[in-house]
DNA sequence: CTGAAAGCGCTAACAC
DNA sequence: GTGTTAGCGCTTTCAG
């Protein structure tokens, strides 16, 4: 007989082989402390040798407490954020089965101070925090502080890579920007002209990264198109609409428009009112009901999307896995850069 | 107090309220028979009233037997099929945790008789079958026969809609064809010319559906392009390569090529040898390593994909859910029509 | 510091 | 036909 058994090793096996009790193995596994370091080593070596993996079903069943997840999402009127919010409500029954619960909190994401304060307030009130926020030293510090106090932090949509968050759930935004550029360039075709860019704020990491990827590909692959300086619309339709209207007026040769962030209703209105929507390739992000409409009417030519449902489920799975040491299937957690045309909308 | 409790109802609760034992409730829930019909009704009404849902974790833990899944995939040298095969191996550890196991069987999918025979042989040898096969009366009958004998059947990639299969896991292929047409039409742009089509066989439902969707959009939206009669390459590179080479020779104005099925290595080779790859927009399906390469070198312009990993996991989840009555999240099981350009490959 | 024992909610054998 | 009971593999008191 070899050391690799056909049957999975159980806690009992580990305890027996290590010559200790179930409770001690459990203490070591969840480092709850109160175990001699020699014992710890012995148990760990047995765990290793037996290739022990806890059975998640059994763990869930036995667990008394529920894991508390807190989602921190931007306040305001962003439709995509509302979709995320709804998806959190939608996973509630599933979470309950996993002995977990989730609440959503809205925070002023454009203000590092406010966000940092809200994050600090989470300490002790949740076991894991899923945060969509801006990449700023204050925010990074707040995240690190949470992690120090044992809270699992997962960043969502927009990463804070320098922080000690355990995971990021979202798309690769540089790649998304490159994808937008390729689509826009190919859709415009051989025509010459200018291309406009609208973003929420350069302080948002996802926006900055998309811009970077977009400019990269436009510069090298579609150099005959002239990139106009980006416009900042703060993700608000009331601000993007007049800005884009002015852009249209002063740029008669506009052939393409890339909208990096939110505020797409304003852009759509401006494009439609100008009567030039047909001749301008417009690419935006996130398949909200409005974007869907714009795609159907032909005002938008492509929408690059990240699946809100997938992101929320993934964030939950990763947070719970980090809390309980469960296995994750990395493949399943990769968020895709979805491209939607009029034809392949779900 | 109302009937809706905060706490989930358990089997115990149902048994107590219905005034029967655990075993009886279990019998009713899994209709194992041997229960008076009056008792059955009473139990069922209590289940309803209490909103009882079995706890999947507890069920999995208690279950002695393992559910046996059998995947039936096409034999031959199709790379995408190999990817599915690998994904089945990859979920094995997860399946083991769910008290389930999976085996892969290869069958001659182009022969209804052979496929039907292989399906019949599955009876009694598995609890659920995941089948990728062609839509043919013989195959349909074989599936129905399995279902009659208590086997859960899930179709994969190519559906057999008239059968009694419990679910289909795959993309909407008409929509996929439409998507291909939109991409091809927009990438070709204002140029005039002919568009070629290569498929495996019209007898494969997914191929027929893609063709339908493609022709639909090409005819209405890109009518200036001339659609050539489709070529059948039986999903084999040895056959597609000479066919496409001939197509290229006799069609000097070829501006686009849509390859609906497999055999893409042959098409790629033909395109490259012709020296006209740059001027022909080529769109194909499934992001295999070769397709990826073709996209990188620019020979392919877009790849429409269905995620093999997602499909396999989804098929497993649906089969297990059908066997155990667990809840499914429909959202999570929707297979997306992925569009890959050079820039957004995973 | 360590161990024993009581469940979690279900399945499945076995009794009546 | 129906009930009783012993686990599944873990977590979590509560005793030492």
């Amino acid at each position: 007989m070899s050391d690799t058994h056909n049957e999975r090793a159980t806690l009992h096996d580990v305890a027996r082989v290590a010559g200790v009790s179930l409770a001690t193995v459990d203490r070591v596994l969840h480092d709850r402390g109160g175990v001699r370091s020699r014992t710890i080593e012995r148990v760990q070596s047995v765990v290793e040798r037996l290739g022990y993996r806890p059975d998640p079903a059994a763990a869930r069943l036995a667990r008394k407490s529920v894991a508390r997840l807190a989602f921190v999402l931007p306040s305001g009127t962003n439709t995509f954020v509302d979709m995320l919010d709804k998806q959190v409500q939608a996973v509630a029954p599933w979470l309950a089965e996993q002995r977990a619960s989730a609440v959503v909190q809205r925070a002023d994401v454009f203000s590092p101070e406010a966000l940092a304060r809200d994050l600090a307030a989470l300490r002790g009130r949740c076991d894991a925090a899923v945060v969509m926020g801006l990449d700023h030293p204050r925010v990074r510090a707040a995240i690190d502080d949470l992690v120090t106090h044992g809270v699992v932090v997962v960043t969502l949509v927009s990463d804070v890579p320098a922080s000690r968050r355990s995971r990021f759930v979202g798309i690769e935004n540089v790649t998304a920007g490159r994808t937008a550029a390729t689509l826009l360039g190919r859709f415009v075709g051989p025509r010459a002209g200018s291309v406009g860019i609208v973003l929420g704020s350069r302080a948002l990491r996802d926006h900055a990264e998309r811009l970077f990827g977009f400019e990269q590909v436009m510069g090298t692959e579609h150099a005959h198109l002239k990139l106009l300086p980006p416009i900042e619309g703060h993700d608000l339709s009331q601000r993007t609409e007049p800005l884009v209207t002015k852009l249209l007026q002063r740029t008669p040769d506009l052939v393409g428009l890339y909208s990096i962030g939110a505020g797409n209703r304003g852009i759509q209105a401006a494009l439609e009112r100008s009567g030039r929507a047909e001749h301008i390739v417009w690419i935006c992000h996130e398949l909200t009901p409005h974007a869907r409409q714009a795609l159907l009417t032909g005002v938008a030519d492509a929408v690059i999307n990240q699946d809100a449902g997938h992101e929320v489920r993934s964030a939950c799975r990763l947070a719970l896995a980090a809390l309980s040491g469960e296995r994750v299937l990395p493949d399943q957690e990769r968020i895709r850069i979805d491209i939607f045309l009029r034809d392949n909308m779900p």
Side-chain angles (χ1 to χ4, degrees), chain A:
Chain A
M1 281 259 286
S2 85
D3 261 3
T4 49
H5 305 350
N6 237 332
E7 305 286 325
R8 287 166 57 100
T10 71
L11 245 204
H12 270 94
D13 298 331
V14 176
R16 191 170 31 73
V17 174
V20 296
S21 73
L22 285 184
T24 299
V25 180
D26 188 74
R27 286 181 188 109
V28 173
L29 254 34
H30 299 89
D31 39 45
R32 298 196 218 281
V35 184
R36 244 195 327 200
S37 61
R38 275 201 47 219
T39 314
I40 296 187
E41 275 175 38
R42 186 147 41 93
V43 170
Q44 280 176 338
S45 88
V46 173
V47 165
E48 191 107 352
R49 195 146 56 76
L50 262 45
Y52 169 75
R53 303 239 77 207
D55 180 330
R60 217 164 305 151
L61 187 57
R63 198 170 353 251
K64 292 301 239 287
S65 56
V66 308
R68 296 160 304 166
L69 309 189
F71 279 76
V72 180
L73 302 179
S75 52
T77 58
N78 187 318
T79 313
F80 179 68
V81 173
D82 292 341
M83 293 167 68
L84 288 171
D85 199 331
K86 284 211 191 67
Q87 291 292 338
V88 177
Q89 315 311 324
V91 288
W94 178 82
L95 281 175
E97 274 177 1
Q98 315 294 311
R99 307 282 186 276
S101 68
V103 295
V104 177
Q105 236 172 67
R106 298 298 192 101
D108 182 356
V109 163
F110 280 92
S111 153
E113 289 73 25
L115 181 54
R117 205 177 331 107
D118 286 350
L119 288 178
L122 244 39
R123 214 164 80 192
R125 311 188 56 74
C126 70
D127 305 298
V130 180
V131 183
M132 171 172 174
L134 81 182
D135 189 11
H136 182 279
R138 290 285 288 272
V139 176
R140 184 175 53 59
I143 290 177
D144 289 354
D145 197 50
L146 278 177
V147 174
T148 302
H149 288 82
V151 178
V152 167
V153 177
V154 171
T155 50
L156 184 70
V157 176
S158 189
D159 196 11
V160 186
S163 72
R164 293 170 56 206
R165 94 279 187 281
S166 79
R167 293 283 201 145
F168 165 60
V169 173
I171 58 175
E172 286 178 32
N173 284 298
V174 176
T175 304
R178 296 179 58 94
T179 305
T182 298
L183 278 171
L184 192 143
R186 298 213 59 168
F187 282 2
V188 166
R191 280 186 292 161
S194 306
V195 172
I197 301 172
V198 185
L199 44 64
S201 158
R202 285 168 191 277
L204 293 170
R205 189 174 189 94
D206 51 346
H207 291 199
E209 289 181 345
R210 289 174 190 173
L211 178 60
F212 178 77
F214 186 78
E215 289 179 332
Q216 217 180 25
V217 170
M218 290 304 288
T220 59
E221 313 271 323
H222 306 287
H224 67 293
L225 297 174
K226 184 179 160 226
L227 278 192
L228 300 174
I231 296 170
E232 298 207 15
H234 284 73
D235 283 354
L236 295 169
S237 290
Q238 308 97 280
R239 296 184 72 152
T240 56
E241 179 164 357
L243 288 170
V244 172
T245 298
K246 260 195 285 178
L247 175 74
L248 284 162
Q249 284 165 354
R250 70 166 180 265
T251 322
D253 75 335
L254 196 78
V255 292
L257 188 61
Y258 176 37
S259 118
I260 286 182
N264 286 326
R265 264 170 292 179
I267 299 179
Q268 179 179 5
L271 279 171
E272 279 174 346
R273 224 161 354 76
S274 76
R276 287 158 61 194
E278 292 261 323
H279 309 103
I280 296 173
V281 174
W282 176 35
I283 294 187
C284 67
H285 280 266
E286 319 319 355
L287 192 67
T288 59
H290 316 99
R292 187 186 293 269
Q293 198 52 39
L295 218 38
L296 281 174
T297 59
V299 177
D301 295 85
V303 174
I304 297 179
N305 184 64
Q306 46 191 323
D307 193 288
H310 190 181
E311 291 188 322
V312 167
R313 287 188 294 272
S314 187
C316 290
R317 278 193 297 259
L318 291 172
L320 292 181
L323 286 170
S324 70
E326 246 179 87
R327 181 207 309 278
V328 310
L329 299 173
D331 231 59
Q332 179 166 228
E333 311 307 347
R334 215 199 64 242
I335 309 296
R336 275 170 282 192
I337 296 174
D338 298 330
I339 299 174
F340 289 116
L341 307 179
R342 190 200 46 199
D343 302 284
N344 68 327
M345 282 188 285

